Amino acid sequence: MESLIDEAEDGNVSKVAELLSSIKDEEIIDVTQKRLCKEKGDAVTALRTVLQAAASASEKRKICTALYKRCIEILEKNELSSKLASNLAGMLLLETDLLQNSALAEICSLFIDMVKSGSIQCGKGLALLPKILSVIALEETVSYGESSLNGEKYKSHVINSLCSCKWNSQSVLHLAGMFKDIALTNEELRFVLEKIIRMMKDLELTDLPSLVYQLLLLSTKGHKKLVIDGVTKYFIEQDARHKDHDPNEFSEDLLEGDNASIETLRQTEGTIILHINFAISMDQELGREFIKFLKGNQLDTSKVLAPFVLALSLSLSKINRFEGQIFDLLKATIMKSFKDSDKQRQSNWVREVVPDICHVQDYVLSTIQNSKHGWDHVVQGLVQLGFGLMDAYGPKGAFGRIETGSIQTGPSHEACQLGSKILLHTFKAHDMVKAEILEQIFNRVVTKATAPVSHYLELLSSTVMAAPQRLLESSTKVREMFDYLALLTPAAAEGLLRAIHPLLKLSMSLRDSLILVLRKAMFSRQLDSRKIGVFGFLMILKNFRILGGLPSSQASQPFSSSQMEKIRKLSEVQVDVHARYNPASNEALCLEIMGNLRRVLTQQADVRLMFYQGIYEALCKNTQIMGSVLEILLCQLKKYYEPAEDVNPPVKLELCITAQGDQIYLSEPLAHLICCIQLCLVKVSDIRRQQNMDHDDTVMEDSNRTQQELEEMMDSLVTRMIKSEMEDFELDKSADYSLTNSVGVKNNIFSILVLGIYESLMEYTFHSGEYSESSLQQILHLHENYKKLSEVLKEKASSAAGKKGKAPTGGKTALSLLSLQGTTEIMRALISETAPSLTENLKILREDVDFRRHIVNVALQKIQQVQEKGACDGAEGGDKNKVLQHLITLAKIFITYYTENQRPDEEGKRDRTKYISGPCLEGLVGIMTTISQRYTNQFCHCLCEMVDADESDDPQEAIYSHIKKYQRLVMNILKSEGEDKNMKEVQLLLGIVQVLCRQLYSTGNQFQRVLEWVHKLCTEQSIDDIPTCKLLFSMLMTFTQQIKSCPPLLRDLSQDIHSQLGDIDQETQVEDKTHFSLVTHRTAAPVVLSLVLQQVERELDDSEWVMGRLRAESAQTSDEVEVELTQREGHERSVCTRLGILVTAFHELLQSAIPVGACMESIVKQSTRLYGTLTILVKYYLNLYQQRTGHLSSRFEKLIKLTGTHLTQFCYGMITYIQQTESEQVQQNVDKGKKDKKKQAAALNAGKARVLKESRTIPNLIFSIETFEKFLIQLSKKSKVNLMEHMKMSTSRDFRINVATVQAVMENDSDSEESEEETEENDTTTADQEMEEEESEEQENVAPANKRPAEPIEPPPAKKSKLGKKTGKV
């Protein structure tokens, strides 16, 4: 044996071959194994020599196979050093050709057994299998056992056996790495990939990156889609399993391993995303396959927006080739998801069919949370996606006009908000992109001058509050932003200053930079820049409070001292903390600002106006500046005040205007100045009552003297303005108020100033008079003067509008200078004040109906402003919390007044001239709507405050209790008679019910009860008021759609419309019976009909959306077995049922004698849309047959039958009816206008216009019918079902033959021919010849116009009663 080994190590093959015959095979194998394991001598060379010698001797070939198998086992045990194992494997690869095919088959069987037993440990022996299989594939026949196969087939058998057996989790990686070296057919590759993907769930998370890497290498051979689908599906399931786990939550039950596994999962996902990113950068085809994956799952947005898939998409967006496509797809998917959610909220049927909702925001924010685990390659994509959403779906300016404060709702707003949240969360989570986010926000604010930037400013404000120290680190960028401040629009600049102002308290240098910029802006030539400067200074006055005034409850302090201490510790930059114990710097700053603001009073009227509106709010926040404020206002008032008490008027209006050539301009908004003075005086009085009088006596004496002087001037103004007549201001009925000349412009300016002064003095007198009888009399005298002047202005405006042919606008209230707080307090005094000491004096005001109406109109004006812009004119109009409190108070007053004045007086009637119930209800609707839109989270709390009730534990029940109150009020009015039956109030009460119902859950019992009440009203009440009927039916349809199926309601309404309007065939009697009493001949068209058609359009939208989802699911059925076919078939039946009910509804509408015009055109359009939806359904079934994934349902066949018998033929009848009716109308108009050529021409032109409109709508309907029939024929061929059995071929073409008319003409012709034969027998032959020639010519001219002979329209069968017989139901 020793000699054999020596000869083998020397490589002497012939000598070894001789020695082999004398030694047993087992000994050779054992010795070889021992030498290999102990690494004695050159074991690999000795083994090679033995293998070659054994292969040369035919009787020793078995030893060759045995040695080979033993070496494979040794390699898989991983007992050799890596160098020796590598040399051994390399030698075995080279010597594989020595083996016979039977030996190769044995070795393959060994590998299969090893895989089954799980003995594959390191894969070093497994690396030989690709070589062995490649050698086998070249053999013509391979014998194994008792059978033999072709080499290629045997190779396929081995691969099939390997993939069919159970794999040990430790061997999966080695097997995957081995398969990449094997030449596989397409089917074999698919089999292998499916096996590896199935094994992913059995592997440790740490092994997955390696496995995915092997899958990506295998995907270069094909089936890239399978790899992408498999990997993404696995990680979507993993994310879903860990979705509810909060990484910040720790409890006793929470195992430590859970946190560790999540950390490992995120790191694994990050590594795999990098692998896929690298693979796609090398293989563009794989990237295109991923784009197809995103496009293919557009309908199932939960797959595209799953955290792993979204992170992968964002990582791939760094590849330039795919950047645009990926972001476009992600934005479209997000938008579609929000639209789908909106559709599900609105329709109960859509929720039933597709109950699952993709929570986009949760998915995206989860991706940001996951990106904290080292996913740096995803962060840049998150920033781009966030800004992409904000840019694409942010608010848009209409025609260059930028709306501020308007409510943004709907899917676009939600997408924009999501973009903002992405950026905010990314800003908080990743330091690496904070500078870039700030840079891009600032760039957009500066460059988007013609577009709204409010959403960017809100984001900036959020980032400032989230990480102020990070912005201070970028103070250079903030200072650079200040340089552009004067170039922005005023709205954008104000928003920017509000967002940045918390930083000013943390950095003195930043504050000083801003003050320099504002000072420059004050002296700019541009008006907008000056306004920005004033706003900035006023903002600093509000926020840098001089200490020693009122407690900080009235001051604006966004950061507490503890918060600022934390910020100072966190920030590495030098921060100058604005401390509360250093009032000296604030005092100096405020004095400097007041000095700058004095110069404002020499600038344009708009700049002064901004100062007057803002200085009061600054005084409220910073009470120690009251002396300076009063002094400035006093100096300014003296310029326009007439000091002589016996001179009227008391103000010099001429000084308030400026003339430049022929143009007259307002230079001093005197009314706003007086309004500002009265507000400040009232505030200063309150301050003095609240403060302890322990300040510097000299300062107090100066401010007291100023206050006293101002109060005396204001009292004098009140007295003298009451005495002043319109003529004193050169304003009377004879004055010129036209805006076409300078005199008229001057008079208009003077009148507006005087009206504003009257209102300001009314509010001042109310606050300062403390309900004294004399002060209330003064208020009425002021209002009387106000009323006289305003009536003159309305009269002049009406007459001017009448001359120009415009509608007069006299009923519109001019913008009032009364503050919201003042309006609320006056309303309380007029209506709800019950103190005995005050009610006696208040009778003076309460009995003046005009004054009461004026105050209510002003309150409505303020409410409307808040509803539209979120703020109102006047003091505290921009403070959301105070505005909300005033709205609640007003609502309480309105409710009190309306409920108290529902009771009739002693005579049993209510004098409507004295009451303001209508405006009160109108205001209540506005307040309810505003709170529901702008204060949604506080709605229930506000509702309880309005009626002084305790907040309920069940908000839904609390809201429903309020709804019941308004329901009772509605029923009281409907039961009353005569003048008390005020339908306008019914509409307003129903509007309140509608607003309250938006806060109810559509799935709750309360909502169901409200729907039943509305349905009962529509069914039992006979209301002849069209707006009320429209509102009730609109509520009925909206509520029904949310909790029930709406098509049955539409069918009933269609039958009622048919019953009330009659049939297009005048000989047919229609049963005069309706489901709803509100449907009458007066309301059926256009009110109810238009609502029905609008709802039909929504129902068709929902049906098409559901069919799109079903089509997407059917396309996935071939790949995903778990899709339940029975569920899909149930949805198909549901769609067919709904469409069948809509067909029966149109069956009634198409036979109704609807007036030709807009209503009929709408019916034609919706009929076209219905056929389009039916065509989509037919295409859906065609697609099922093409994919062989479905079949026709019996419900669909019934729907097609119903369409043929109840829809198509009646469509053609309606077309004939339209054209006949319109031709008759045109002829009548022409006959009427024969005497007047102008009227005749107008009638002809109107007829032409109608024909042009028909030329678009009717052909579209016919085309949609024929398209539907075309695809129906194709489906009939595919399904082998005759779906065209009940379809009548189309007959409406370029011309139609009316059979009855033709027969009548022929009878007349035959009678005339007989009489001619009796009188002129000789001419008969000639006449016949001429008729034959004419007929032949007509046939030649007419025949080409139609490719097939025209079929006469048969008159529909006589109908006894449309509503009495049962229509076909699906």
Side-chain angles (χ1 to χ4, degrees), residues 1210-1221:
F1210 293 99
C1211 278
Y1212 288 113
M1214 180 196 66
I1215 292 172
T1216 306
Y1217 167 76
I1218 293 172
Q1219 294 176 337
Q1220 286 179 351
T1221 308

Side-chain angles (χ1 to χ4, degrees), residues 206-225:
T206 52
D207 293 334
L208 287 177
S210 301
L211 184 65
V212 172
Y213 179 73
Q214 299 297 337
L215 282 171
L216 292 170
L217 292 176
L218 279 168
S219 71
T220 57
K221 300 180 179 182
H223 293 293
K224 295 177 173 59
K225 180 179 183 298

